[in-house]
Amino acid sequence: MPKWNWAELRDLIGNRITSGELAEGARLPTEIELSAEFQVGRHTVRRAMSALALDGLLSIEQGRGTFVRRTPEIRYRIGRRTRFRTNLEAQGLTAESDLVLAEVVPAPDGVAAALAIAPGAPVHRVVSRGRADGTPISLSRSFHAVARFADFGALREQGVSVSEIYRRHGQPDYVRRDTTIFARRPDVHEAELLDQHPDQPVMVLQKTDTDRAGTPIGHSESIWSAHRVRFAVDSLDDTAKS
Amino acid sequence: MPKWNWAELRDLIGNRITSGELAEGARLPTEIELSAEFQVGRHTVRRAMSALALDGLLSIEQGRGTFVRRTPEIRYRIGRRTRFRTNLEAQGLTAESDLVLAEVVPAPDGVAAALAIAPGAPVHRVVSRGRADGTPISLSRSFHAVARFADFGALREQGVSVSEIYRRHGQPDYVRRDTTIFARRPDVHEAELLDQHPDQPVMVLQKTDTDRAGTPIGHSESIWSAHRVRFAVDSLDDTAKS
DNA sequence: GAGTGGTCTAGACCACACG
DNA sequence: GTGTGGTCTAGACCACTCA
């Protein structure tokens, strides 16, 4: 009867999950039970579980238990004309958006630079959460100059989409500029809102919206559950007519 | 004299690093010393250190010690005409590429589909590692049909770049198609080659090269140290002349 | 061989969920 | 209150680096 180290345990249980032997949503035995089953200490089990949670295969919930996690694996197109709702609905997913916070703040330096306005000028800061089929997948923090969109926060609070607000202000045809992508660890608050393990990485997408003339009209940073989303870059359908 | 929990310790030492109080390359006290200094057990120190290593702030090296890690933070443009060397050199970085492996294998299904060839047809599989200013930042696994590029592996072994090989085969002007980006945990081998902590995430970039007519000529997957690289998406400079 | 980090164990106690 | 996961401790031993 062999003993196991934590990495072997991780792979063993991980395979049971990916092979479907452990179904999605199923509850795993408790740490004590697993440590008895595999003849290892409880902390070795915990190390393995923790690694699997980092991979997005498990959801560990204090006081409740450990569960196999469903992983929808969403494909999200980014490009010049990305829209949250149309993007998800094209895959047959329901797209929803909760408003988390809307306030007016003085523009931080980075935001002011992106929007080409004076640092400290008042901007709407709106935080919202996107969900696909009910599962939280993204957090968005956006900044829009009060001078340009006086009612931005109020409209967002009424559930009006960003695209629609742009349209009402005569910008039906905005495009993305300066999209950058990187990964980092979320803070505890972000992890909570995304309903994910705090050590699990998120992908951050920073972008600036501009009107057709190239003038910046909005800046935002969206944060995505790294294991739930796969980005597809878009530059490509327009086969260059040289 | 307060005690600390692991997350507080992580933030405390993390701040010392990001504030510059602990200089890059500096060696930290040993785990034993830190556990004495902060009046906590050695394992609490380890938990905090491990989290910092995951953030890319520390390099923990068995038998040697724990060091503050330099983080170059490279900006890498992706788009229709991305080239590794030109991309990095535009930022004043030296770009290098080591060949790790070159072999001929039957095309796996996914690769065959991407290249529009028969599954199992012979393809060159070349693994190389990219470095910026000497630091490993990416691993690339590329596939090219033997039928189309008979000498691909041999040329790569001689240090000829992919762009140059395309050029010699009459494709000076290839473009990227179907770029997708996601994040995952690296396997131990990948972590080693990238010289990073195995629990630290990597970003994976899958792409297909096509000729001007849109015919696929190569498929590759590159793996990037998530904390060392920030991708900039490119679809945008060509202000659409409607 | 001495010193470093890596793994495992055993046990105590805490925080949270749910009946 | 009971049972779950979360944190911390103490100590043993292993694996690796370097003099």
Side-chain angles (χ1 to χ4, degrees), chain B residues 32-90:
Chain B
I32 306 283
E33 288 166 345
L34 286 169
S35 70
E37 175 180 350
F38 292 102
Q39 301 276 307
V40 297
R42 179 183 163 218
H43 287 84
T44 304
V45 172
R46 283 178 59 71
R47 182 80 173 85
M49 293 294 148
S50 165
L52 289 168
L54 237 78
D55 289 346
L57 295 176
L58 291 181
S59 162
I60 304 178
E61 301 175 23
Q62 187 174 15
R64 306 208 328 119
T66 300
F67 304 86
V68 177
R69 203 161 203 6
R70 71 205 172 299
T71 312
E73 182 68 8
I74 290 161
R75 188 180 168 86
Y76 191 86
R77 299 199 74 83
I78 54 181
R80 302 179 67 227
R81 290 158 195 281
T82 304
R83 306 290 184 270
F84 182 76
R85 178 171 305 273
T86 50
N87 213 322
L88 295 183
E89 288 176 349

Side-chain angles (χ1 to χ4, degrees), chain A residues 164-223:
Chain A
E164 173 64 16
I165 295 174
Y166 284 166
R167 205 182 60 68
R168 292 190 191 174
H169 281 82
Q171 296 298 339
D173 221 25
Y174 69 102
V175 297
R176 307 284 193 209
R177 211 188 55 183
D178 296 339
T179 304
T180 72
I181 306 176
F182 59 98
R184 61 166 167 82
R185 176 168 53 80
D187 65 35
V188 282
H189 186 234
E190 292 166 344
E192 235 165 58
L193 283 170
L194 288 174
D195 187 24
Q196 70 164 47
H197 192 288
D199 284 341
Q200 196 171 30
V202 292
M203 299 180 88
V204 181
L205 220 138
Q206 292 172 329
K207 52 194 167 357
T208 303
D209 296 331
T210 68
D211 61 22
R212 311 255 322 239
T215 308
I217 56 177
H219 181 71
S220 71
E221 178 176 278
S222 55
I223 296 164

Side-chain angles (χ1 to χ4, degrees), chain B residues 82-108:
Chain B
T82 304
R83 306 290 184 270
F84 182 76
R85 178 171 305 273
T86 50
N87 213 322
L88 295 183
E89 288 176 349
Q91 301 174 57
L93 299 167
T94 66
E96 293 158 293
S97 178
D98 316 325
L99 191 77
V100 176
L101 170 79
E103 60 183 356
V104 171
V105 298

Side-chain angles (χ1 to χ4, degrees), chain A:
Chain A
M1 181 166 298
K3 295 288 205 74
W4 312 84
N5 67 25
W6 71 265
E8 290 165 338
L9 247 189
R10 172 198 63 197
D11 295 340
L12 198 151
I13 298 176
N15 287 337
R16 285 193 188 171
I17 294 171
T18 50
S19 76
E21 186 182 334
L22 283 168
E24 137 184 349
R27 179 175 162 176
L28 268 68
T30 68
E31 295 174 347
I32 306 281
E33 288 166 346
L34 286 169
S35 70
E37 175 179 351
F38 292 102
Q39 301 277 306
V40 297
R42 179 184 165 219
H43 287 84
T44 304
V45 171
R46 283 179 58 71
R47 183 79 173 86
M49 293 295 150
S50 165
L52 289 168
L54 237 77
D55 289 346
L57 295 176
L58 290 182
S59 162
I60 305 178
E61 301 175 24
Q62 185 172 17
R64 306 207 329 118
T66 301
F67 305 85
V68 176
R69 202 160 201 9
R70 72 206 173 297
T71 311
E73 181 70 7
I74 290 162
R75 187 179 169 86
Y76 192 85
R77 299 200 73 84
I78 53 180
R80 302 178 66 228
R81 288 156 196 282
T82 305
R83 306 290 184 270
F84 181 77
R85 179 171 304 273
T86 51
N87 212 324
L88 295 183
E89 288 176 349
Q91 299 174 61
L93 299 167
T94 66
E96 294 158 293
S97 178
D98 315 325
L99 191 77
V100 176
L101 170 80
E103 59 182 358
V104 172
V105 298
D109 289 353
V111 171
L115 291 178
I117 60 176
V123 292
H124 293 285
R125 176 175 183 271
V126 175
V127 180
S128 66
R129 179 171 69 164
R131 283 176 295 140
D133 278 356
T135 307
I137 52 165
S138 72
L139 274 183
S140 160
R141 276 191 270 269
S142 69
F143 296 89
H144 293 84
V146 171
R148 173 116 195 202
F149 301 99
D151 53 357
F152 190 92
L155 288 174
R156 286 295 280 155
E157 278 174 340
Q158 291 163 32
V160 180
S161 75
V162 175
S163 305
E164 173 64 16
I165 295 174
Y166 284 166
R167 205 182 60 68
R168 292 190 191 174
H169 281 82
Q171 296 298 339
D173 221 25
Y174 69 102
V175 297
R176 307 284 193 209
R177 211 188 55 183
D178 296 339
T179 304
T180 72
I181 306 176
F182 59 98
R184 61 166 167 82
R185 176 168 53 80
D187 65 35
V188 282
H189 186 234
E190 292 166 344
E192 235 165 58
L193 283 170
L194 288 174
D195 187 24
Q196 70 164 47
H197 192 288
D199 284 341
Q200 196 171 30
V202 292
M203 299 180 88
V204 181
L205 220 138
Q206 292 172 329
K207 52 194 167 357
T208 303
D209 296 331
T210 68
D211 61 22
R212 311 255 322 239
T215 308
I217 56 177
H219 181 71
S220 71
E221 178 176 278
S222 55
I223 296 164
W224 300 75
S225 242
H227 70 287
R228 289 187 197 140
V229 177
R230 181 174 291 233
F231 293 115
V233 179
D234 212 22
S235 44
L236 357 91
D237 298 301
D238 50 339
T239 316
K241 309 163 188 127
S242 52

